[in-house]
């Protein structure tokens, strides 16, 4: 819910700059979800600027931005929402600087609220197996679902990456899949033997039946009962269904399987940098989160390896 604001509206010329920025962001690979959020957040900021009587961007300084931070903090937003709003404003100022509207950005040193780092839920290998075995593979939809979750866990994909797969993205001979991830960055990751076999079965027995219901041809890998490309909400609903069926203590986010992929690799001795590449993380700091999850594994390595452990 957007915060209340004083009477007044953003200036048309400022909104024009915002829309140009958002167009640039879209061309740079920004997702529609991000663009919608940034539009809302930046319009809120530009209203605040207009009500104060300042000219954007030339009259904005760091002190004013601190005042704005205090302003939006007074509406009970979560820290993550405040952080996103400030990130949107920083991006807008970077664009203005790149276009020569200002010499430097006053928002670069504007800090977002510190967020408590929550450790993600990770299932034990046996629990992952129970989840996968809860899927009935006697139907085209069941074969499809099993293939989806084998890819999520076996290759560490995001749900949006799975539903975005095309039929020819998987090279079965090389056992690898080409992924277009965040920011439209491409990476190639291995496909395990189990996932490869399940996907082959889906392409042979499941997808042809689902494709018969389609109004038009599509090269999307995973299809709905109507022959249309799946969305991430479909994957979330299937996750909820099988969590209940398998009676596993986890949430309804399919992202759990990506966490399991990374953690189980590290517990198996994989190199942190290699896991970073497989996940498509821009920074290793994102991958380091998983090093906090396998303390018991590290303890076993220590006890097995160090001469003074016993």
């Amino acid at each position: 819910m957007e915060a209340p604001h004083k009477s007044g509206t953003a200036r048309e010329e400022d909104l024009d700059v915002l829309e140009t920025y958002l167009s640039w962001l879209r061309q740079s690979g920004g997702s529609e979800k991000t663009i919608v959020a940034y539009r809302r957040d930046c319009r809120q900021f530009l209203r605040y600027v207009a009500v104060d009587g300042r000219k954007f961007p030339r009259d904005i300084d760091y002190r004013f931005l601190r005042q704005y931070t205090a302003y939006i903090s007074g509406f009970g937003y979560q820290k993550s929402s405040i952080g996103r709003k400030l990130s949107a404003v920083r991006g807008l100022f970077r664009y203005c600087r790149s276009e020569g509207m200002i010499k430097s950005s006053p928002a670069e040193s504007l800090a977002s609220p510190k967020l408590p780092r929550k450790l993600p839920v990770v299932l034990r290998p046996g629990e992952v197996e129970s989840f996968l075995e809860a899927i009935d593979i006697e139907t085209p939809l069941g074969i499809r679902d099993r293939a989806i979750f084998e890819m999520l866990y076996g290759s560490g994909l995001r749900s949006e990456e799975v539903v975005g797969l095309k039929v020819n993205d998987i090279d079965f001979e090389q056992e690898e899949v080409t992924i277009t991830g965040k920011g439209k960055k491409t990476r190639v990751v291995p496909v395990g033997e189990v996932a490869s076999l399940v996907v082959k079965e889906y392409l042979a027995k499941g997808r042809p039946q689902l494709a018969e219901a389609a109004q038009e041809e599509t090269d999307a890998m995973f299809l709905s009962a109507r022959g249309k490309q799946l969305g991430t909400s479909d994957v979330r609903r299937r996750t909820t269904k099988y969590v209940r069926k398998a009676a596993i203590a986890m949430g309804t986010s399919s992202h759990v399987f990506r966490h399991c992929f990374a953690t189980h690799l590290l517990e198996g001795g994989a190199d942190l940098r290699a896991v970073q590449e497989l996940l498509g993380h821009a920074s290793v700091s994102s991958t380091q989160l998983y090093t906090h999850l396998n303390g018991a594994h590290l303890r076993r390595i220590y006890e097995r390896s160090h001469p003074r452990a016993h």
Side-chain angles (χ1 to χ4, degrees), residues 198-213:
V198 173
V199 174
K200 281 183 179 179
E201 185 176 10
Y202 162 71
L203 291 176
K205 300 179 180 179
R207 191 181 184 280
Q209 293 188 44
L210 298 177
E212 289 178 0

Side-chain angles (χ1 to χ4, degrees), residues 236-252:
R236 184 170 59 251
R237 283 193 294 270
R238 311 312 286 176
T239 305
T240 302
K241 174 183 176 179
Y242 298 121
V243 163
R244 290 172 178 169
K245 190 174 180 180
I248 297 173
M250 61 172 269
T252 60

Side-chain angles (χ1 to χ4, degrees), residues 20-81:
T20 306
Y21 161 60
L22 295 175
S23 295
W24 172 84
L25 188 62
R26 182 180 289 107
Q27 293 171 3
S28 301
S31 70
E32 284 304 315
K33 183 178 179 181
T34 297
I35 289 167
V36 168
Y38 274 28
R39 176 180 286 111
R40 181 174 61 247
D41 295 336
C42 289
R43 286 175 76 98
Q44 182 181 355
F45 170 70
L46 293 173
R47 282 198 299 269
Y48 185 83
V49 171
V51 168
D52 197 72
R54 298 195 180 215
K55 292 288 187 181
F56 171 82
R58 71 182 187 194
D59 291 345
I60 310 301
D61 55 21
Y62 177 75
R63 183 176 179 181
F64 178 81
L65 292 174
R66 290 290 298 167
Q67 292 172 352
Y68 178 69
T69 302
Y71 169 74
I72 60 175
S73 297
F75 294 108
Y77 287 121
Q78 293 184 353
K79 288 184 178 180
S80 57
S81 296

Side-chain angles (χ1 to χ4, degrees), residues 135-149:
I135 304 174
D136 180 8
I137 57 173
E138 297 301 318
T139 67
L141 292 177
I143 299 174
R144 178 205 66 189
D145 291 348
R146 182 65 179 263
I148 287 173
F149 288 104

Side-chain angles (χ1 to χ4, degrees), residues 17 34 64 78 84 161 164-165 226 240 290 307:
V17 173
T34 297
F64 178 81
Q78 293 184 353
R84 189 203 65 228
E161 292 172 345
L165 285 176
R226 296 182 178 180
T240 302
Y290 298 105

